[in-house]
Amino acid sequence: MPAEIPTPQPIRLGILLSGRGSNFLAIAESIRAGRLPGVEITIVISNVAEAPGIEAAAELGLPHAVLVSKGRKRAEHDADVVALLKEHKVDLVCLAGYMRLLSREFVAAFPHRILNIHPSLLPAFPGLDAQQQAFDYGVKVAGCTVHFVDEELDHGAILLQRTVPVLDSDDAHRLADRILAEEHIAYTEAIARVAGGEYEVRGRRYVRK
Ligand code: GRF
């Protein structure tokens, strides 16, 4: 009898969001369109009850949950989120507009298995209103970064970046829209790279094998 060829296990994504959810929807659309073979979204979690992103998850019929963080200790809230992710057997956590720092314990629960997207070319302009910060600074090239998450804000090893030119005719909103379009491409590409597995993280450096 020929040896059985093992079927590759699907990559189970857990999405964390706090707001609009356009990055989540771009990932969901990439899966639907067959651009992320073997990847599935197994749970979408919001820390904000009225986040439009969680309503979108419900409309798509995806498993979803709200775990409100407001008024709770970070360690306790994070422990609940980790438990829910583990319950859904999540392999890869994608922060998609999740407006919270993760505790050390959360990061340790998914080593090199948590991604974030940030709308600047890190390490420039971490934190809030990154596009406005870049515009006000007068940079000529802006963009977005997908990085592995550590306990520091917008800080872990960089997986990929995409750039956009800053035009003379821009304002911060127009710039943010063009960056967002690149974010939607970048997140799918980053997930595909992690799912493909042909890489290692050497210190701060993500390197393809
Ligand atoms: C994006 O700009 C992302 O880079 C940042 O938060 C925003 C979330 O947007 N981390 P959305 O909720 O995915 O539309």
Side-chain angles (χ1 to χ4, degrees):
M1 230 168 81
E4 226 172 77
I5 300 166
T7 336
Q9 293 298 308
I11 300 273
R12 298 169 64 85
L13 295 189
I15 309 262
L16 301 191
L17 54 77
S18 306
R20 161 179 77 171
S22 74
N23 276 288
F24 149 56
L25 286 170
I27 295 165
E29 173 55 20
S30 287
I31 292 172
R32 193 204 60 76
R35 289 192 290 271
L36 287 171
V39 175
E40 59 184 46
I41 295 172
T42 51
I43 181 79
V44 183
I45 303 173
S46 172
N47 67 317
V48 175
E50 60 278 7
I54 209 73
E55 285 165 27
E59 278 163 25
L60 288 176
L62 289 168
H64 59 282
V66 174
L67 294 177
V68 174
S69 57
K70 202 171 177 193
R72 297 195 66 204
K73 292 210 169 82
R74 182 180 312 283
E76 286 170 15
H77 178 259
D78 277 7
D80 287 351
V81 176
V82 168
L84 192 54
L85 292 168
K86 295 280 184 192
E87 196 181 298
H88 286 265
K89 299 190 170 43
V90 164
D91 309 301
L92 179 63
V93 181
C94 294
L95 308 188
Y98 188 62
M99 304 303 281
R100 282 180 67 76
L101 268 183
L102 303 191
S103 60
R104 184 177 296 275
E105 290 73 22
F106 192 147
V107 175
F110 292 93
H112 284 140
R113 286 273 151 178
I114 310 175
L115 303 181
N116 182 43
I117 189 155
H118 182 73
S120 79
L121 297 174
L122 290 171
F125 314 122
L128 291 176
D129 297 325
Q131 308 94 325
Q132 183 79 51
Q133 290 185 55
F135 182 79
D136 291 346
Y137 197 90
V139 297
K140 298 300 180 201
V141 179
C144 62
T145 303
V146 182
H147 64 92
F148 294 97
V149 170
D150 61 18
E151 304 91 65
E152 290 178 54
L153 180 67
D154 302 327
H155 177 265
I158 290 173
L159 210 156
L160 65 86
Q161 296 182 303
R162 290 180 69 89
T163 59
V164 301
V166 182
L167 308 177
D168 289 347
S169 55
D170 269 344
D171 59 22
H173 292 291
R174 274 198 286 271
L175 178 61
D177 284 348
R178 287 212 316 288
I179 294 172
L180 191 64
E182 296 303 316
E183 291 185 42
H184 295 164
I185 299 166
Y187 224 153
T188 291
E189 190 181 334
I191 292 166
R193 287 192 192 179
V194 172
E198 300 284 295
Y199 69 93
E200 56 190 32
V201 184
R202 297 182 200 146
R204 286 203 52 84
R205 287 178 48 75
Y206 159 92
V207 188
R208 294 213 236 184
K209 282 186 193 165

